[in-house]
Amino acid sequence: MSTVVAQSLHVFGLRSHVANNIFFFDEQIIIFPSGNHCVKYNVDQKWQKFIPGSDKSQGMLALSISPNRRYLAISEIVQEKPVITIYELSSIPCRKRKILNNFDFPVQRFISMAFSPDSKYLLTQTSPPESNLVYWLWEKQKVMAIIRTDSQNNAVYQVSFNPQDNTQVCVTGNGMFKLLRFAEGTLKQTNFQRGEPQNYLAHTWVSEDKIIVGTDTGRLFLFESGDQRWETSIMVKEPTSETRNLEVIRESESLIEFPTISSPVPSYEQVMMASNNSQLAMPRVFAIAAYSKGFACAAGPGRVLLFEKMEEKDIYRESREIRIPTDPQSNERSQSDKQDVLCMCFSPSEETLVVSTSKNQLYSITMSLTEISKGEPAHFEYLMYPLHSAAITGLATCIRKPFIATCSLDRSVRIWNYESNTLELFKEYQEEAYTISLHPSGHFVVVGFADKLRLMNLLIDDIRSFKEYSVRGCRECSFSNGGHLFAAVSGNVIHIFATTSLENISNLKGHTGKVRSVVWNADDSRLISCGTDGAVYEWNLSSGKRETECVLKSCSYNCVTVSPDAKIIFAVGSDQTLKEIADSSILREISAFDVVYTAIVISHSGRMMFVGTSVGTIRAMKYPLPLQKEFNEYQAHAGPITKMLLTFDDQFLLTVAEDGCLFTWKVFDKDGRGIKREREVGFAEEVLITKTDMEEKAQIMLELKTRVEELKMENEYQLRLKDMNYSEKIKELTDKFLQEMESLKTKNQVLKTEKEKQDVFHRERIDDLLDKQSQELQDLECCNNQKLLLEYEKYQELQLKSQRMQEEYEKQLRDNDETKSQALEELTEFYEAKLQEKTTLLEEAQEDVRQQLREFEETKKQIEEDEDREIQDIKTKYEKKLRDEKESNLRLKGETGIMRKKFSSLQKEVEERTNDIESLKREQVKLQGVIKSLEKDILGLKREIQERDETIQDKEKRIYDLKKKNQELEKFKFVLDYKIKELKKQIEPREDEIKVMKEQIQEMEAELERFHKQNTQLELNITELWQKLRATDQEMRRERQKERDLEALVRRFKTDLHNCVAYIQEPRLLKEKVRALFEKYVQRADMVEIAGLNTDLQQEYARQREHLERNLATLRKKVVKESELRRTDYVRIMQENVSLIKEINELRRELKFTRSQVYDLEAALKLTKKIRPQDVPETVPSEAMPSIAPTMRLNEQEETGRIIEMQRLEIQRLREQIQEQEQIPGFHPLSVVRLPSLLESEVDFEVQTK
């Protein structure tokens, strides 16, 4: 293995389309996918640790973390096969615990995963068309259960476990919401979908049996045990006036330095899908996350809503809105929040909410801030910094500063700091950026855009262009090592520019294909280039000519580099090799082992070499290159690597790829060769700033200082005023309270005296009551003794009576026994007869009862289901009633205690009275406030009445003036009537012309109907031919089926014959086998008929084919003739239409001319009126009279307009019919003659009239 080692340090990027792509490991550390790694990022200390993907991985698809935060599951595609890797997060570094890669079921990829609450089981969902849900005991790599969730190839988005139950799972997808329970080795569905199926995008468990589900139409559902309990719809709100104002203000500002994480950024809301201002698109709920108070859900582009649970009811209300802020650096503010929230996660303490978006950005917000901003929507902040959202196309670094410059297809240029791992500058543009290069000083940058090449200054807070070159589609550019020159590629030409004079000093032409890479040698005397034409050229810049060349047309080169001594050129391309080139010849080729190298870089010491591959890996090699496969390969990106660079001191390797991620690697040589170059001078701290910016900032600082001083003075003055007011108020309040205290003391003494009087009165009363009670007790005892003696005498008399009665009853019983025996015999006979009748009736009744029982059981089942629900509702209702009753009982007990303790009740009455006095005082204050507000309203209404009186007076004056004008207009009425009569006489001949044109149009309609009939007849003929063709096709299919059957029979016969050959040494067995073959395959009827059938079938088939071919030929001739006839008719109709349109245009011109005459006459009349309105004679000549023809000719104009509109509709209908006829097979449309469009003719007419 190679001794050159690369160690990943930091990554700038996110892969947002990995399912469940962000979660918390603990309160400070989050985990997210970037490139082909999972990154553990500490939010406070800003460090990163990496969990690399599997070897030869083609990218991660889904992540899942266990509830105990110990395990991480990653779904990947490795060599076209799905793999699930489970890592143990508690170990340092994270180690692989299990790998699931042997599957007994068909699977293409795993798109969603979830751990059980106890982290022992893993739930995985495969992609369509299989759509299998697999329940794993992952420690033993055992499949416990598998079920197909969908059979219609609908998308499945999310699977999850019940947070309290290992056996219950939930699956959501397009038209799918399923609750499944694991029991006895199988997963069974426990709910039944009701209503219209929705596209369920996300869900979360809010309790043991309740699930919140979101759809693509902005609807949220609450399901309890599979039944819908609550529903709401999220509507997209338009931006508030404040956010609009913020946008207007910030549009005038230039780009500023990227804000820190704590700085607030303004919000602006836009909907992702294009929609009209009147109708906003429904938001899509891509993510839902539950927390203790309720849940948070994505509510369309750039928006998250928090819902809190109502205390009394099982419903949720919207409590807060959080928006993604606009980027002040963004060129299009409307695009900044057009990004859907794809995943969200709460920290374990629920203090922080982190979200990831569709544009590869990470945002966070502290939940305490959302509670502070009441009414106004809260805003997210960047968790780290804004990241690239598309493939990175350019990479550059410099010598004097620890800067990395990148450009991307997301139309942005970013400057990163690899020492502090921060974003220094960021700016977006209108066009895509393809390439970038940093000046060695770190103060300038050249960027190749789709339209131009721009040379820009890196200011303290801006990237500002100062020179533009008309180099279109520049895909590669590079500053020289000294920085005095830079090269820019345009197609197959390399332009060389001077940095000082900013002029184009030479153009290097020679490549026949696009130039893909250029590199300068150490002393900037030569430039090496390679391209898609398979050529590697070394250019001498002093002469502008090629010095060496190496052309290999079979290879399209991707990248080129040169050794530090400029003797050997290294090139990589599409032929999967690394080439060493010297003196126009290839010294040797080193195989890439089945991958394409896309980038190459060599260290300044010449000891280390790194190459990037098309699968996203990097390979570290030592130089000179070994012949064997000696290199270290590292998983880096999830897409082809586009650029690689080493810093000037050979300490760091930088790589970018199409996945939009930037990696920094620490590199070193284990052998100690190529010891790091010590920096003689540290990194420069100077920054560029323009004079205007400095002056503006100084001015702003002065203004702010003066403002601060003014505010201090104002605050001091206000504080003094407040102190004085408060001291006066305190004095007033103390006086009031002293008076009240004295009054209360007097009241208290009065109450005490009353209380003593009442105590004496109560004692006297209690003594009287005790005396009365003793007397009453004595009287009652005497009465009761007398009553007892009387009762005892009565008892003795009754005892004697009972003895007599007993003797009488014994005699009666004997008599009754005799009568009963006789009656029993009679009754038994009677009832036996009756029993037989009843038994028959019973049997019939039993049959009815059985039927009724069956019906009853069916109804009982239905009623039980309904009653269970009702019972639960009633139970809850009566439980509430019980609580109320218990509370009322407690209150009653308290009241009885109060009645016993009258002394305490008196004290409470005193307190209540004092409370009443205080409440009355509060009411008095409130009423005084109401009175003041009403007085203000009365004053306002009085002002309104005065204003309205003034307006009424103004309007009365206006009415008087209008009446005067009306009288003057009536004077001119007679004059205008005369002119109207004359104009009517002029219009009559034109109406006759319009009638003639109407008759022509009717004739044309009759011709069109005739053509319609001919077309329908032709269509019928064509359908008949199609039917015949279909019949022949069916016969051909039958014959082919027969042929297949015969081929299968022959195959079977061959196999049986082959089996017979095995017995060729045993004649007896061979004979039996041959006889069996004969009986199996040969039938006597077939033997006779086979010969005759084949010839007859072939003759019949040939005859039918000739007949059909003749029919087809005749039909084709008919279709051609009909098309020619139709063509002549269409030509004639088109010519007539053209002539009619011309006539219409002429009529329009005449109408326009008459209108202009009328307007001229009106204008002349108004002028004469203004000069001398009193001298108008009774008879005025026709030239001087004003005309109001447009008002009187309104009906005629409408009529002509309607006629023109009808003609336009008729012509449009004819054109549609022509298009339908063109689609009929065999019909050839007219390509030469075309009708002129009515719109063009109208425009020409208006131009001519103007």
Side-chain angles (χ1 to χ4, degrees):
M1 295 300 287
S2 172
T3 57
V4 178
V5 178
Q7 184 180 353
S8 53
L9 280 184
H10 203 86
V11 63
F12 303 91
L14 168 73
R15 292 195 61 216
S16 61
H17 294 287
V18 176
N20 193 18
N21 54 43
I22 187 161
F23 33 77
F24 277 88
F25 175 64
D26 57 28
E27 198 63 37
Q28 287 81 33
I29 297 171
I30 61 164
I31 297 175
F32 60 89
S34 183
N36 214 357
H37 291 72
C38 272
V39 182
K40 288 172 74 175
Y41 175 68
N42 190 303
V43 179
D44 294 336
Q45 299 174 13
K46 311 295 182 193
W47 54 254
Q48 289 185 354
K49 290 181 181 176
F50 294 88
I51 305 168
S54 303
D55 292 338
K56 299 181 181 177
S57 171
Q58 294 166 2
M60 297 177 184
L61 301 172
L63 304 178
S64 180
I65 193 168
S66 62
N68 60 10
R69 303 287 194 278
R70 282 190 63 189
Y71 306 111
L72 173 68
I74 302 174
S75 168
E76 298 172 284
I77 298 291
V78 179
Q79 294 181 338
E80 307 296 331
K81 291 181 182 179
V83 172
I84 296 172
T85 311
I86 297 163
Y87 290 86
E88 191 170 346
L89 295 173
S90 56
S91 63
I92 298 172
C94 299
R95 64 181 182 86
K96 292 181 182 179
R97 182 68 180 266
K98 287 289 176 201
I99 299 172
L100 309 178
N101 54 8
N102 293 320
F103 308 112
D104 299 332
F105 48 88
V107 57
Q108 291 182 0
R109 57 182 61 193
F110 292 99
I111 55 174
S112 182
M113 301 184 294
F115 277 97
S116 63
D118 59 1
S119 307
K120 289 182 180 178
Y121 301 96
L122 181 68
L123 197 65
T124 58
Q125 175 67 49
T126 67
S127 61
E130 296 87 10
S131 297
N132 288 322
L133 181 67
V134 189
Y135 191 95
W136 296 84
L137 180 62
W138 63 268
E139 284 277 9
K140 296 182 179 178
Q141 300 183 6
K142 182 181 177 183
V143 176
M144 304 295 287
I146 186 168
I147 188 171
R148 188 170 185 182
T149 52
D150 184 64
S151 57
Q152 298 176 355
N153 287 342
N154 287 329
V156 181
Y157 300 118
Q158 188 181 352
V159 297
S160 67
F161 272 98
N162 185 327
Q164 307 294 329
D165 188 358
N166 282 350
T167 60
Q168 191 174 19
V169 299
C170 178
V171 184
T172 51
N174 190 358
M176 184 195 315
F177 171 70
K178 292 184 179 181
L179 287 172
L180 304 153
R181 189 169 285 281
F182 175 71
E184 298 176 358
T186 56
L187 285 164
K188 293 179 182 177
Q189 188 171 349
T190 58
N191 71 318
F192 298 97
Q193 284 183 254
R194 294 170 186 169
E196 292 183 5
Q198 303 279 336
N199 188 4
Y200 300 108
L201 297 178
H203 71 266
T204 189
W205 295 79
V206 290
S207 69
E208 190 174 349
D209 56 351
K210 292 177 184 174
I211 306 173
I212 295 286
V213 186
T215 70
D216 63 344
T217 56
R219 297 173 75 187
L220 291 171
F221 298 94
L222 173 64
F223 291 96
E224 185 176 358
S225 302
D227 297 326
Q228 186 180 326
R229 298 293 185 202
W230 173 74
E231 176 187 354
T232 188
S233 291
I234 300 165
M235 296 305 293
V236 174
K237 297 176 185 175
E238 289 194 4
T240 61
S241 60
E242 289 182 11
T243 54
R244 285 199 195 96
N245 293 335
L246 277 169
E247 185 192 5
V248 171
I249 291 161
R250 287 192 177 265
E251 274 177 4
S252 61
E253 293 179 0
S254 64
L255 176 144
I256 60 169
E257 190 176 359
F258 171 67
T260 58
I261 290 169
S262 61
S263 64
V265 187
S267 170
Y268 177 75
E269 176 156 37
Q270 277 288 334
V271 182
M272 182 187 68
M273 298 172 71
S275 60
N276 296 327
N277 291 329
S278 60
Q279 185 178 6
L280 293 167
M282 295 303 291
R284 294 187 286 181
V285 183
F286 283 109
I288 307 176
Y291 69 114
S292 57
K293 293 182 181 178
F295 65 91
C297 72
R303 195 158 160 253
V304 170
L305 293 179
L306 296 179
F307 284 83
E308 290 184 2
K309 189 178 180 182
M310 303 287 283
E311 291 180 1
E312 297 174 358
K313 301 173 185 176
D314 287 337
I315 62 170
Y316 293 82
R317 65 174 179 83
E318 183 184 332
S319 63
R320 192 74 63 238
E321 179 183 0
I322 311 171
R323 290 181 182 168
I324 289 173
T326 56
D327 283 329
Q329 298 88 348
S330 176
N331 192 35
E332 296 180 18
R333 307 287 161 78
S334 61
Q335 298 294 326
S336 62
D337 58 352
K338 280 189 178 179
Q339 44 185 330
D340 284 301
V341 175
L342 298 183
C343 187
M344 59 176 66
C345 183
F346 284 96
S347 63
S349 65
E350 297 182 355
E351 181 60 28
T352 309
L353 173 64
V354 176
V355 300
S356 64
T357 69
S358 56
K359 288 195 174 178
N360 298 349
Q361 304 299 329
L362 285 171
Y363 295 96
S364 69
I365 190 168
T366 53
M367 295 302 289
S368 56
L369 287 175
T370 61
E371 294 171 5
I372 293 164
S373 59
K374 291 180 180 177
E376 289 295 320
H379 295 118
F380 282 107
E381 296 173 348
Y382 282 108
L383 183 71
M384 298 180 285
Y385 23 70
L387 305 167
H388 280 295
S389 59
I392 299 173
T393 53
L395 175 69
T397 185
C398 61
I399 299 169
R400 294 286 292 120
K401 291 189 179 184
F403 282 177
I404 307 166
T406 58
C407 64
S408 169
L409 296 180
D410 61 6
R411 301 177 179 177
S412 71
V413 173
R414 296 166 202 254
I415 308 297
W416 312 86
N417 190 317
Y418 62 79
E419 266 200 341
S420 60
N421 294 322
T422 55
L423 181 67
E424 294 284 336
L425 289 172
F426 157 44
K427 191 168 184 180
E428 286 191 358
Y429 296 89
Q430 294 285 351
E431 302 84 20
E432 291 179 343
Y434 297 130
T435 181
I436 192 165
S437 182
L438 260 173
H439 192 269
S441 66
H443 292 309
F444 313 108
V445 65
V446 62
V447 185
F449 290 95
D451 59 342
K452 286 180 182 177
L453 178 74
R454 291 183 174 90
L455 189 62
M456 296 185 279
N457 281 324
L458 297 182
L459 304 179
I460 189 169
D461 56 359
D462 194 5
I463 304 171
R464 198 169 295 172
S465 175
F466 66 91
K467 178 66 176 175
E468 291 184 351
Y469 300 96
S470 58
V471 179
R472 289 184 172 275
C474 177
R475 297 276 175 173
E476 191 68 28
C477 67
S478 177
F479 272 105
S480 63
N481 295 314
H484 60 292
L485 301 172
F486 66 91
V489 173
S490 175
N492 57 0
V493 180
I494 304 167
H495 305 278
I496 307 296
F497 297 92
T499 310
T500 50
S501 63
L502 306 178
E503 292 178 356
N504 184 4
I505 57 172
S506 67
N507 295 321
L508 308 179
K509 298 178 182 178
H511 282 279
T512 56
K514 289 183 178 179
V515 178
R516 296 293 297 276
S517 179
V518 293
V519 65
W520 299 82
N521 68 346
D523 59 358
D524 296 334
S525 61
R526 290 181 179 81
L527 182 76
I528 295 95
S529 65
C530 69
T532 56
D533 54 356
V536 176
Y537 296 144
E538 187 176 2
W539 306 86
N540 190 324
L541 294 179
S542 58
S543 62
K545 294 180 180 179
R546 288 180 289 194
E547 282 202 349
T548 63
E549 60 181 50
C550 178
V551 181
L552 185 67
K553 291 188 176 179
S554 61
C555 175
S556 173
Y557 286 108
N558 295 322
C559 189
V560 69
T561 189
V562 65
S563 62
D565 57 2
K567 291 180 180 178
I568 300 171
I569 299 166
F570 303 94
V572 291
S574 59
D575 61 350
Q576 299 183 358
T577 59
L578 189 156
K579 297 179 179 62
E580 284 188 53
I581 302 167
D583 299 328
S584 302
S585 62
I586 298 169
L587 296 179
R588 60 173 175 163
E589 294 184 0
I590 295 141
S591 173
F593 303 100
D594 299 327
V595 293
V596 175
Y597 286 147
T598 56
I600 184 168
V601 66
I602 189 166
S603 66
H604 297 89
S605 63
R607 300 290 186 182
M608 299 181 287
M609 185 178 285
F610 300 91
V611 288
T613 67
S614 58
V615 294
T617 59
I618 63 167
R619 292 179 177 177
M621 312 175 185
K622 63 181 179 180
Y623 187 79
L625 296 170
L627 295 171
Q628 293 82 15
K629 189 178 179 180
E630 288 185 17
F631 53 80
N632 291 327
E633 189 164 10
Y634 300 97
Q635 290 291 324
H637 295 273
I641 290 173
T642 53
K643 297 285 179 186
M644 294 178 72
L645 277 179
L646 276 163
T647 56
F648 182 70
D649 55 2
D650 287 344
Q651 295 294 304
F652 301 102
L653 172 69
L654 315 172
T655 61
V656 294
E658 289 181 9
D659 60 359
C661 296
L662 163 64
F663 272 85
T664 61
W665 307 76
K666 178 78 172 172
V667 296
F668 53 91
D669 190 347
K670 284 183 179 178
D671 291 346
R673 296 181 302 167
I675 296 165
K676 67 176 183 178
R677 294 151 67 175
E678 294 294 334
R679 296 188 62 86
E680 294 176 2
V681 182
F683 287 121
E685 294 183 358
E686 297 85 6
V687 290
L688 292 180
I689 187 164
T690 59
K691 189 177 179 181
T692 53
D693 289 345
M694 282 286 288
E695 288 171 354
E696 282 174 8
K697 284 182 179 177
Q699 187 66 33
I700 290 162
M701 282 172 74
L702 285 169
E703 288 173 1
L704 288 168
K705 280 178 182 176
T706 53
R707 180 68 181 149
V708 165
E709 288 172 0
E710 288 171 4
L711 285 168
K712 277 182 181 177
M713 296 288 287
E714 283 177 10
N715 284 331
E716 286 174 0
Y717 179 67
Q718 290 290 333
L719 281 167
R720 284 172 193 164
L721 286 173
K722 282 179 182 177
D723 287 336
M724 290 170 71
N725 290 327
Y726 284 134
S727 60
E728 287 174 1
K729 283 180 183 178
I730 286 161
K731 283 179 183 177
E732 289 173 2
L733 287 166
T734 49
D735 294 336
K736 281 182 185 178
F737 282 123
L738 287 167
Q739 290 172 3
E740 284 177 4
M741 279 172 74
E742 287 174 358
S743 63
L744 287 167
K745 278 177 183 177
T746 53
K747 282 181 184 178
N748 197 7
Q749 287 175 357
V750 171
L751 287 167
K752 277 181 181 178
T753 53
E754 285 179 1
K755 184 198 160 194
E756 287 171 358
K757 287 176 184 177
Q758 284 179 357
D759 285 340
V760 172
F761 175 72
H762 282 303
R763 282 172 195 158
E764 289 173 356
R765 225 176 146 188
I766 286 161
D767 293 336
D768 294 336
L769 287 166
L770 287 167
D771 294 336
K772 282 179 185 178
Q773 193 180 5
S774 59
Q775 286 176 2
E776 284 173 1
L777 272 167
Q778 289 174 3
D779 295 336
L780 283 166
E781 281 177 0
C782 295
C783 293
N784 283 328
N785 288 328
Q786 290 173 3
K787 282 178 184 177
L788 274 167
L789 290 167
L790 291 168
E791 289 293 328
Y792 183 71
E793 289 172 358
K794 284 178 185 178
Y795 172 72
Q796 286 179 347
E797 289 174 2
L798 286 166
Q799 202 169 5
L800 292 166
K801 276 184 186 179
S802 66
Q803 286 175 0
R804 289 172 200 157
M805 291 284 285
Q806 196 172 359
E807 289 171 359
E808 287 174 2
Y809 282 127
E810 282 175 358
K811 287 177 185 177
Q812 284 177 6
L813 276 166
R814 286 170 200 148
D815 297 334
N816 283 330
D817 287 336
E818 291 174 359
T819 54
K820 273 181 186 177
S821 61
Q822 290 176 1
L824 267 169
E825 288 174 358
E826 291 173 0
L827 284 166
T828 48
E829 291 174 359
F830 174 72
Y831 282 113
E832 278 174 359
K834 223 171 188 182
L835 259 170
Q836 289 175 354
E837 293 175 5
K838 293 286 180 184
T839 48
T840 54
L841 289 167
L842 252 172
E843 288 172 357
E844 293 173 359
Q846 281 173 353
E847 288 176 0
D848 293 335
V849 166
R850 284 172 198 146
Q851 289 178 354
Q852 286 175 359
L853 274 167
R854 288 170 198 151
E855 292 172 1
F856 172 72
E857 283 174 357
E858 288 176 357
T859 53
K860 187 183 174 184
K861 284 177 185 176
Q862 293 174 355
I863 289 160
E864 278 176 353
E865 290 174 357
D866 297 331
E867 286 302 319
D868 286 338
R869 291 175 189 163
E870 288 177 8
I871 285 159
Q872 285 178 352
D873 297 336
I874 291 160
K875 190 179 177 183
T876 52
K877 199 187 288 180
Y878 280 113
E879 280 175 354
K880 285 179 183 176
K881 279 186 180 179
L882 259 171
R883 287 182 206 132
D884 296 336
E885 289 295 328
K886 282 176 182 176
E887 287 171 1
S888 63
N889 282 329
L890 288 166
R891 279 200 302 274
L892 288 167
K893 284 176 184 176
E895 285 173 6
T896 54
I898 289 159
M899 290 298 288
R900 286 172 190 164
K901 297 174 183 179
K902 285 186 179 180
F903 177 70
S904 61
S905 69
L906 285 166
Q907 281 184 344
K908 284 180 182 177
E909 281 177 9
V910 170
E911 289 172 1
E912 283 171 3
R913 281 173 188 169
T914 54
N915 290 329
D916 290 336
I917 288 157
E918 287 174 2
S919 64
L920 285 166
K921 281 179 182 176
R922 287 186 203 123
E923 284 177 6
Q924 188 182 357
V925 172
K926 285 179 186 174
L927 288 166
Q928 283 174 355
V930 171
I931 288 157
K932 285 176 184 175
S933 64
L934 289 168
E935 283 173 354
K936 287 177 185 175
D937 293 339
I938 287 157
L939 289 168
L941 289 165
K942 281 178 181 176
R943 283 179 203 141
E944 281 183 8
I945 288 158
Q946 286 176 359
E947 288 170 1
R948 286 180 182 176
D949 288 336
E950 289 171 1
T951 53
I952 287 159
Q953 287 173 3
D954 293 336
K955 284 182 179 177
E956 282 175 351
K957 287 177 187 175
R958 180 72 177 155
I959 289 158
Y960 181 74
D961 295 334
L962 288 166
K963 280 179 180 176
K964 278 185 180 179
K965 285 181 183 177
N966 202 1
Q967 288 172 2
E968 289 174 2
L969 290 166
E970 281 175 357
K971 289 176 185 177
F972 292 109
K973 191 176 180 185
F974 179 78
V975 178
L976 296 170
D977 288 335
Y978 181 80
K979 186 65 180 173
I980 286 157
K981 286 173 186 174
E982 284 186 352
L983 287 166
K984 278 184 179 177
K985 287 174 185 175
Q986 291 176 7
I987 287 158
E988 283 173 0
R990 286 177 187 161
E991 288 177 349
D992 295 331
E993 288 176 1
I994 287 161
K995 284 177 185 175
V996 171
M997 287 169 77
K998 280 182 182 176
E999 288 172 1
Q1000 287 179 357
I1001 288 159
Q1002 286 173 358
E1003 288 174 2
M1004 287 168 72
E1005 284 177 350
E1007 285 179 359
L1008 274 168
E1009 286 176 2
R1010 192 166 66 252
F1011 285 136
H1012 279 311
K1013 289 175 185 176
Q1014 290 176 1
N1015 285 333
T1016 50
Q1017 187 62 40
L1018 282 167
E1019 283 172 1
L1020 288 167
N1021 293 335
I1022 288 159
T1023 50
E1024 286 176 3
L1025 285 167
W1026 277 111
Q1027 286 172 359
K1028 287 176 182 177
L1029 272 167
R1030 286 191 195 100
T1032 53
D1033 284 334
Q1034 286 174 0
E1035 284 181 3
M1036 279 184 73
R1037 287 193 194 99
R1038 287 195 208 102
E1039 290 299 321
R1040 283 174 182 165
Q1041 188 61 40
K1042 285 179 184 176
E1043 189 181 351
R1044 289 191 203 101
D1045 294 339
L1046 284 167
E1047 283 175 358
L1049 190 71
V1050 168
R1051 282 195 213 99
R1052 288 202 300 274
F1053 180 76
K1054 283 178 179 177
T1055 54
D1056 290 339
L1057 190 66
H1058 186 266
N1059 292 333
C1060 284
V1061 170
Y1063 299 102
I1064 201 157
Q1065 299 296 331
E1066 297 174 12
R1068 187 172 60 80
L1069 287 169
L1070 184 65
K1071 185 179 178 182
E1072 287 174 2
K1073 293 289 181 182
V1074 170
R1075 189 178 291 147
L1077 273 173
F1078 182 84
E1079 288 171 359
K1080 186 176 179 182
Y1081 292 103
V1082 180
Q1083 295 176 1
R1084 292 182 180 177
D1086 292 339
M1087 290 169 66
V1088 177
E1089 291 174 3
I1090 282 163
L1093 272 169
N1094 290 333
T1095 55
D1096 292 336
L1097 281 167
Q1098 287 174 358
Q1099 287 174 2
E1100 183 65 19
Y1101 177 79
R1103 189 174 60 77
Q1104 286 182 0
R1105 186 173 178 180
E1106 286 173 0
H1107 175 68
L1108 287 166
E1109 284 175 352
R1110 283 195 216 100
N1111 285 338
L1112 265 171
T1114 53
L1115 285 165
R1116 278 178 183 158
K1117 288 174 184 175
K1118 282 182 184 177
V1119 167
V1120 169
K1121 286 177 184 175
E1122 288 292 328
S1123 64
E1124 287 174 357
L1125 289 167
R1126 201 174 290 108
R1127 194 180 298 157
T1128 54
D1129 290 329
Y1130 275 120
V1131 171
R1132 185 171 54 76
I1133 289 161
M1134 284 177 183
Q1135 287 170 354
E1136 286 174 359
N1137 277 333
V1138 170
S1139 63
L1140 285 168
I1141 287 162
K1142 285 177 182 176
E1143 287 176 6
I1144 288 160
N1145 288 332
E1146 287 172 1
L1147 286 167
R1148 282 178 181 161
R1149 290 191 194 97
E1150 288 175 6
L1151 265 169
K1152 192 81 175 177
F1153 185 71
T1154 54
R1155 279 183 193 168
S1156 64
Q1157 282 183 344
V1158 169
Y1159 292 140
D1160 292 336
L1161 288 166
E1162 278 183 356
L1165 187 68
K1166 282 176 185 173
L1167 284 167
T1168 54
K1169 174 195 156 204
K1170 282 180 183 175
I1171 294 160
R1172 46 177 191 174
Q1174 69 276 11
D1175 296 335
V1176 178
E1178 290 182 2
T1179 58
V1180 183
S1182 61
E1183 288 85 0
M1185 285 183 188
S1187 173
I1188 54 165
T1191 55
M1192 296 303 291
R1193 282 288 296 134
L1194 189 61
N1195 294 329
E1196 285 78 10
Q1197 279 183 10
E1198 285 180 353
E1199 190 175 355
T1200 53
R1202 285 185 193 128
I1203 289 160
I1204 291 158
E1205 189 64 26
M1206 285 168 67
Q1207 286 178 351
R1208 190 181 286 148
L1209 291 166
E1210 186 63 26
I1211 289 158
Q1212 192 174 353
R1213 189 171 65 78
L1214 287 165
R1215 281 182 176 153
E1216 287 173 358
Q1217 286 180 358
I1218 289 160
Q1219 286 176 359
E1220 288 173 1
Q1221 291 296 327
E1222 284 173 357
Q1223 290 173 1
I1224 296 168
F1227 178 78
H1228 301 286
L1230 286 165
S1231 59
V1232 179
V1233 183
R1234 285 190 180 276
L1235 277 172
S1237 67
L1238 284 171
L1239 292 168
E1240 288 174 3
S1241 61
E1242 284 177 11
V1243 171
D1244 293 337
F1245 167 63
E1246 286 177 6
V1247 169
Q1248 287 169 6
T1249 53
K1250 284 176 183 176

